[in-house]
């Protein structure tokens, strides 16, 4: 009982000192402890009114005029520039549109094409989210390359003069392990190959440093830590000095140098626009633009500091509250190796998560035995963390 009281009191002090605590008011939340922002971020409070304006005024009244008057046509690049600071990129290198899967395909095939015919192997993260693996396998077949799955730790020794491209995840979606983007990027470049990073579980949770570390290509979704809404469009980063060589396997009229010229021959536009394909999904795209306003005045470095403090506190509370042997953390303890989630292995994990949700603590389950808890520092507080660990202990007990 004393441990519970002490942790609860400490949580109160930490929340009182939290410089990001006021950001919670920028979201639509209730008394549920929401620790599933690594799957779907909470609704930013400004989004409903913005979407209503898009539907009623921009679409309902202006109609076709909104492509110009409401800035619909330039939204993919404009919103890309809003995301850019969150992943450490200068403007003009990110375009928003399509799904993560489609952008993985575009980036990986373009990387192989830039590598040239002399390199006949693609390396893919063997622990990747399944879709990335499916896309990599298809891209390999379509480009006549061999696909070689390796763990991120094995990448440096697996690289060679046959390597064309490497597809890696910044954070492991199951365990929350953060991979060493700077070192792995440098290793890929030393081998003369190109790297594609999937940032789905890192963008909006921690500094990425795309420009600083010379990343070639990167993709990511916007519905997790960026809170863009279910199915919100993904983004594609193409490093500036590679843009004139970016040869998309999905050339569309939106990425044509003269999109309204309707010419039979394709001529790519310049810049990040080359990553576009077809007509943008305006409703979800502009909902994302409104969602990104919650980042106004927010430092990614401050978000990272709070993320580590939250996950440290959660692991400590779980260690103090839950009897030995009932759960095992599969998330690295070292800060340099941890994203913004904690994954706990336990028996009957699927049933345990259902019972947690019934008691107002929402995480998610990954087969066969993992409880995942995602910590979004913009709206998760330390009292939430203490309550989640306490309810977990009571549920298991």
């Amino acid at each position: 009982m004393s441990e519970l009281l002490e942790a609860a009191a400490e949580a109160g002090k930490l929340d009182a000192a939290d410089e990001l605590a006021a950001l919670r008011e920028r979201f639509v939340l209730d008394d549920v402890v929401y620790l599933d922002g690594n799957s779907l971020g909470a609704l930013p409070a400004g989004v409903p009114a913005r979407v209503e304006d898009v539907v009623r005024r921009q679409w309902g009244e202006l109609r076709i005029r909104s492509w110009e008057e409401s800035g619909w046509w330039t939204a993919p690049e404009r919103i890309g520039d809003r995301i850019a600071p969150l992943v450490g990129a200068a403007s003009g290198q990110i375009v928003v549109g399509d799904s993560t899967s489609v952008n993985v395909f575009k980036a990986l095939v373009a990387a192989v094409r830039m590598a040239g015919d002399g390199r006949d192997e693609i390396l893919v993260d063997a622990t990747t989210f399944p879709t990335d693996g499916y896309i990599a396998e298809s891209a390999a077949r379509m480009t006549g390359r061999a696909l070689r799955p390796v763990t991120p730790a094995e990448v440096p020794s697996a690289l060679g003069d046959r390597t064309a491209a490497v597809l890696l995840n910044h954070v492991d979606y199951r365990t929350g392990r953060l991979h060493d983007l700077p070192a792995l990027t440098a290793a890929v470049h030393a081998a003369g190959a190109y790297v594609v990073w999937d940032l789905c579980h890192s963008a909006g949770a921690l500094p990425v440093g795309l420009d600083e570390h010379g990343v070639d290509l990167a993709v990511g979704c916007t519905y997790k830590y960026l809170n863009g809404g279910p199915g919100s469009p993904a983004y594609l980063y193409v490093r500036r000095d590679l843009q004139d060589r970016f040869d998309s396997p999905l050339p569309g009229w939106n990425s044509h140098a003269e999109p309204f010229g309707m010419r039979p021959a394709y001529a790519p536009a310049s810049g990040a626009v080359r990553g576009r394909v077809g007509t943008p999904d305006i409703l979800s795209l502009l909902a994302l633009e409104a969602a990104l306003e919650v980042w106004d005045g927010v430092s990614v470095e401050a978000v990272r500091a709070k993320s580590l403090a939250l996950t440290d506190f959660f692991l400590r509370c779980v260690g103090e509250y839950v009897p030995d042997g009932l759960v095992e953390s599969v998330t690295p303890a070292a800060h340099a190796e941890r994203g913004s989630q904690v994954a706990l292995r336990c028996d009957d994990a699927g049933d345990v998560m259902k019972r947690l949700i019934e008691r107002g603590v929402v995480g998610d389950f990954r087969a066969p035995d993992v409880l995942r808890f995602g910590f979004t520092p913009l709206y998760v507080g330390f009292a939430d963390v203490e309550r989640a660990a306490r309810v977990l202990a009571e549920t298991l007990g």
Side-chain angles (χ1 to χ4, degrees), residues 37-38 83-88 94 170-171 178 198-210 218-227 235 292 295 300 303 340 376-378:
N38 54 326
I83 293 172
L86 303 180
V87 293
I94 294 179
H170 197 190
V171 173
L178 173 64
D198 183 329
L199 309 178
C200 285
H201 286 268
S202 59
L206 52 92
V208 177
L210 292 179
V219 303
C221 65
T222 60
Y223 47 78
K224 300 183 190 294
Y225 297 109
L226 297 181
N227 310 296
Y235 57 90
L292 290 171
W295 287 94
V300 177
V303 167
S340 199
T376 304
L378 299 183

Side-chain angles (χ1 to χ4, degrees), residues 25-73:
E25 298 177 2
R26 298 184 183 182
F27 294 86
V28 177
L29 294 163
D30 49 26
D31 62 352
V32 166
V33 177
Y34 189 66
L35 301 181
D36 210 5
N38 54 326
S39 286
L40 177 65
L43 171 65
V47 170
R50 184 68 59 81
V51 171
E52 182 177 16
D53 178 71
V54 171
V55 172
R56 293 187 180 277
R57 184 182 64 86
Q58 296 182 29
W59 179 15
E61 297 176 15
L62 296 178
R63 294 176 286 273
I64 197 70
R65 292 162 53 194
S66 275
W67 283 106
E68 181 176 350
E69 294 181 30
S70 300
W72 287 3
W73 184 260

Side-chain angles (χ1 to χ4, degrees), residues 39 128 133 146 159 172 179 205 213 250 272 295 326 358:
S39 286
T128 191
L159 291 164
D172 187 295
H179 298 301
H213 303 302
L250 296 173
W295 287 94
L326 294 186
E358 289 171 357

Side-chain angles (χ1 to χ4, degrees), residues 80-298:
D81 285 345
R82 289 296 301 265
I83 293 172
L86 303 180
V87 293
S91 62
Q93 299 176 100
I94 294 179
V95 65
V96 179
D98 305 312
S99 67
T100 305
S101 302
V102 172
N103 284 323
V104 168
F105 177 73
K106 285 187 258 182
L108 191 55
V109 172
V112 170
R113 288 176 173 177
M114 286 190 288
D117 293 336
R119 293 174 175 265
D120 62 359
E121 186 174 76
I122 298 172
L123 301 184
V124 64
D125 182 349
T127 61
T128 191
F129 187 76
T131 292
D132 284 20
Y134 306 155
I135 295 292
E137 194 276 333
S138 180
R141 282 190 290 117
M142 292 179 66
T143 59
R145 267 65 176 181
L147 184 67
R148 186 179 173 193
V150 296
T151 65
E154 295 170 333
V155 166
S157 60
L159 291 164
D161 56 11
R162 292 183 56 197
T163 310
V166 183
L167 173 61
L168 294 167
N169 288 268
H170 197 190
V171 173
D172 187 295
Y173 80 99
R174 293 185 190 87
T175 67
R177 175 179 289 277
L178 173 64
H179 298 301
D180 192 340
L181 180 147
L184 289 169
T185 298
V188 172
H189 288 168
Y194 293 85
V195 66
V196 179
W197 282 98
D198 183 329
L199 309 178
C200 285
H201 286 268
S202 59
L206 52 92
V208 177
L210 292 179
D211 286 354
E212 176 186 359
H213 303 302
V215 168
D216 302 310
L217 303 153
V219 303
C221 65
T222 60
Y223 47 78
K224 300 183 190 294
Y225 297 109
L226 297 181
N227 310 296
S232 57
Y235 57 90
L236 169 67
Y237 165 89
V238 183
R239 200 177 72 216
R240 196 179 311 279
D241 64 311
L242 296 179
Q243 290 174 359
D244 62 350
R245 298 174 55 206
F246 182 82
D247 184 4
S248 175
L250 296 173
W253 76 285
N254 261 230
S255 63
H256 197 285
E258 297 181 70
F260 293 96
M262 303 302 168
R263 303 188 183 285
Y266 179 73
S270 60
V273 176
R274 287 190 180 202
R276 292 175 66 157
V277 183
T279 305
D281 188 343
I282 291 298
L283 298 183
S284 60
L285 192 60
L286 298 187
L288 167 63
E289 184 173 34
L292 290 171
E293 292 177 3
V294 301
W295 287 94
D296 289 348
V298 178

